[in-house]
Amino acid sequence: MNSKKFTIAIAFILFGLMGVVYLSLWILPEEKYMQGEYGAWKQQKDYATSRHDKNEIILLGDSRMKIGIAASGLSDDTYNLSLAGSNPIDMYYTLKRYLNAGNIPKKVFIGFAPTHLTFYENYTDRGLFFHYYDDVEMAEINAKILQYEGIDYSREVYKYKFRSPSVYLTALLHSLKEDREQKNKSVYDDLSHNKGTLNMSGNKEDGSAVIPEECKEKEFKIKKILDYYLCETINMCQEREIPVYVLQLPMGERGVEILKSTGYMDNYEAYMQSIEDRTGIHVEITIPAYEDKYFADNSHLNVDGQKRFTNEVARKYFFE
C-alpha cells in the first residue's frame, strides 16, 4: 500500500470512529455516559417540572444548601431543590419550572456559597453539559449574559446542544470503564427518597482546618448576571406573594477568620445587605462559623453539621 492509499485508509477509519461516537451520543440514554452530578440534576429537573399534590416549602441553592439542610428535618412538606455546582441562573429556572407546573410553594429559602455568586462557568460545565435547559431558556440566558457580561455563548450552546464529540468524548470513554447508568440511577433514587437532600458522612480526612474555596479569592465581587438572576428569583416569589428568605450556610471557623481579615467578608455582607435593601425581604447577613467537627470537607457539612444547622433553621423560622 502506497502512502496516499494509507493516508486515505486512516482518514476513513478516523471518520468512521467519529461517526460511531457521534451516533452513540444520540442513541445511548444520557445516564449511560454522563458523569458527575447528572443523576442529581436529572432527578431535580423531573421533580421541578411535575405537579405535586400539596403546597411545599422549597429550598433553592448550591451544594452547601443541598447538603446543609435535611428537608425532612424541617417539615413533612419541605423539598430540597438545590443543585451541586449551581448558581442563581439555575435556581431561577428551577423555580420558574416549578411554578409553571402548577405548584405554589408556601415558602422559599435561598442559599448560595459566596463563591457561586462570583463566577458562572458552571453554566456550561453542568447546565449545558447535562442538557438542563431547553432552547427558549438557553436563548434567554445567552441574551442576558451578553447584556450584563458582554460575552456571547452562542457557539458554546451549539456544541452542547448538538452533542459535539469534542465535549462528550471523554465522558463516553469513561463510561466504558464504569457503570455510570447504575451510579446515576442510585443517586436519582437516593435523592428521591431523601426529598432532594444529599448527605455526607464522616469528617475532613487530613485533619487540617476547614478552609473554604472562598479563601483563595482576593475579594468578593458579584457578577452582574448572577445579581440579576438572584433578584429576579426573589421578584418571582414576591409577585406571587410567596414568602422568600435568603439564608447563610455555615463555614469553618478558621475560614471565617481568614475572610474577615482580608476584607472579603465585609464586601460579601455589604452585598447581602444591598439585597435586603433592594427587595425588602429578610436576608441573613452573617455567615455562621462552625467547629471543624461539623464538616465533611472544606465546604460541606457532615450529617452532624447538617442536623445542627437544620435544627437552627427550624427554630428560627418556626416551622410547624
Side-chain angles (χ1 to χ4, degrees), residues 172-179:
L172 191 63
L173 291 176
H174 279 291
S175 70
L176 300 176
K177 298 185 294 182
E178 58 181 296
D179 189 352

Side-chain angles (χ1 to χ4, degrees), residues 11-24:
F12 270 111
I13 291 172
L14 290 175
F15 278 117
L17 288 173
M18 291 305 295
V20 170
V21 169
Y22 190 66
L23 286 174
S24 298

Side-chain angles (χ1 to χ4, degrees), residues 43-179:
Q43 188 275 336
Q44 189 259 32
K45 184 177 181 179
D46 288 347
Y47 192 89
T49 54
S50 301
R51 179 73 174 91
H52 305 288
D53 295 334
K54 55 186 176 182
N55 294 343
E56 298 174 305
I57 297 164
I58 62 170
L59 311 177
L60 302 175
D62 54 22
S63 60
R64 291 188 196 175
M65 186 74 149
K66 194 166 192 68
I67 296 167
I69 298 182
S72 59
L74 295 182
S75 70
D76 292 337
D77 55 3
T78 298
Y79 204 92
N80 197 331
L81 288 173
S82 304
L83 286 170
S86 71
N87 59 47
I89 300 174
D90 308 307
M91 291 300 104
Y92 169 83
Y93 286 98
T94 290
L95 179 60
K96 188 175 182 179
R97 291 168 177 174
Y98 186 83
L99 295 172
N100 287 343
N103 303 298
I104 304 176
K106 293 191 290 188
K107 294 180 182 179
V108 173
F109 289 88
I110 300 171
F112 287 101
T115 190
H116 284 151
L117 300 176
T118 63
F119 74 97
Y120 56 91
E121 284 73 12
N122 284 348
Y123 168 54
T124 56
D125 298 344
R126 288 180 173 85
L128 293 184
F129 190 87
F130 294 148
H131 303 131
Y132 187 71
Y133 298 108
D134 63 29
D135 290 348
V136 173
E137 292 167 343
M138 287 188 291
E140 291 175 353
I141 296 168
N142 294 340
K144 291 299 180 183
I145 293 177
L146 184 60
Q147 176 185 347
Y148 285 99
E149 303 295 340
I151 300 174
D152 187 354
Y153 272 86
S154 299
R155 291 185 178 179
E156 289 292 308
V157 166
Y158 281 112
K159 288 195 299 184
Y160 290 92
K161 179 179 177 180
F162 294 107
R163 308 188 187 201
S164 169
S166 67
V167 174
Y168 291 99
L169 178 59
T170 300
L172 191 63
L173 291 176
H174 279 291
S175 70
L176 300 176
K177 298 185 294 182
E178 58 181 296
D179 189 352

